[in-house]
Amino acid sequence: METTDNTLLEMQQQMQQLRKQLDAQKIVNGRMLRQAMNQTANRLRFKYFVPCIFAVAGIFLSPALLSLGFSLPVVISYIAMMLAGVAATVIINVHLPRMDKDLVTAASEVSKFRKLNANWYKVGAPVGLAWLAFMIWDMVKNIGVDAEKLYGLIGGIAVGLIIGGLLGWKNRRDVLDAADDLLDQIDELRNS
C-alpha cells in the first residue's frame, strides 16, 4: 500500500512540474507573439507613412508648378489635396494600437484601421483624377499647349498614372496584408 501511495505522490509531483513547464512555455510563447505583433505593427506604420513622405515632398516642390505656367488655383488645390491626404493618413494611423493594450481592443482598432485603409481609395482616387483633369484643363487654357504637345502630355500623364497606380496599389496591398497578419497574430494570442 505504501508503494502505491509513494507512486501516486511521485506522479502528482511530476504532474505539477509538467504544469509549471507548460505555463512557463505559454508565457514565453505569449512574449514571442507580442514581440511579433509589435514588429508587424511597426512595419505597418512605416509602410503606411511612406506616401506621407512623398506628399510632403510634393508640397515643398509645388512652387515649381507656378514656374511651369500653372495657375495659382491649380497649385493651391494641389497643396490642399496633399495636405488632406497627409491628414487622412494620420487620422487613419491613430487606429493602429500599441500592442500592450488588451487584445480585444487591439483587434478592434486594427480592424478599424484596415477598413478605413481599404476604403480610402474610394475618396482619394476620384479626387486625384478630378485634380488631374483640372490641371490638364488649366494647361490647355492658360499655357496654350498645341495639339501635338497635348498628346505627348497626355501620354506622359498616362504612363505616370500607370506607374504611380501600380506602386500605390502594391503599397496598399502590403498594408492590408500586414493588417491581416496582425489580426491573425492577435487571434492566435487570444486563443492560446
Side-chain angles (χ1 to χ4, degrees), residues 79-100:
I79 292 171
M81 186 176 61
M82 292 295 121
L83 287 174
V86 169
T89 299
V90 169
I91 290 168
I92 292 171
N93 200 41
V94 167
H95 291 288
L96 267 178
R98 298 192 65 219
M99 289 301 127
D100 55 356

Side-chain angles (χ1 to χ4, degrees), residues 44-55:
L44 195 53
R45 281 185 187 90
F46 175 76
K47 278 272 190 200
Y48 202 62
F49 270 114
V50 168
C52 281
I53 294 167
F54 287 108

Side-chain angles (χ1 to χ4, degrees), residues 92 109-120 176 179:
I92 292 171
E109 290 295 310
V110 172
S111 293
K112 285 179 189 175
F113 169 84
R114 190 192 185 295
K115 182 180 178 185
L116 289 170
N117 192 329
N119 291 328
W120 168 238
L176 293 178

Side-chain angles (χ1 to χ4, degrees), residues 35-147:
Q35 218 171 18
M37 286 182 346
N38 278 326
Q39 289 173 349
T40 304
N42 289 338
R43 187 180 83 224
L44 195 53
R45 281 185 187 90
F46 175 76
K47 278 272 190 200
Y48 202 62
F49 270 114
V50 168
C52 281
I53 294 167
F54 287 108
V56 170
I59 290 169
F60 285 115
L61 295 174
S62 63
L65 293 173
L66 287 173
S67 66
L68 292 173
F70 289 100
S71 67
L72 190 58
V74 168
V75 176
I76 290 172
S77 63
Y78 173 76
I79 292 171
M81 186 176 61
M82 292 295 121
L83 287 174
V86 169
T89 299
V90 169
I91 290 168
I92 292 171
N93 200 41
V94 167
H95 291 288
L96 267 178
R98 298 192 65 219
M99 289 301 127
D100 55 356
K101 290 186 174 183
D102 65 292
L103 296 177
V104 173
T105 304
S108 172
E109 290 295 310
V110 172
S111 293
K112 285 179 189 175
F113 169 84
R114 190 192 185 295
K115 182 180 178 185
L116 289 170
N117 192 329
N119 291 328
W120 168 238
Y121 79 96
K122 293 177 184 176
V123 173
V127 169
L129 290 174
W131 179 82
L132 191 60
F134 177 52
M135 182 188 79
I136 291 171
W137 174 80
D138 184 69
M139 237 185 334
V140 170
K141 181 181 171 229
N142 294 331
I143 301 174
V145 177
D146 62 357

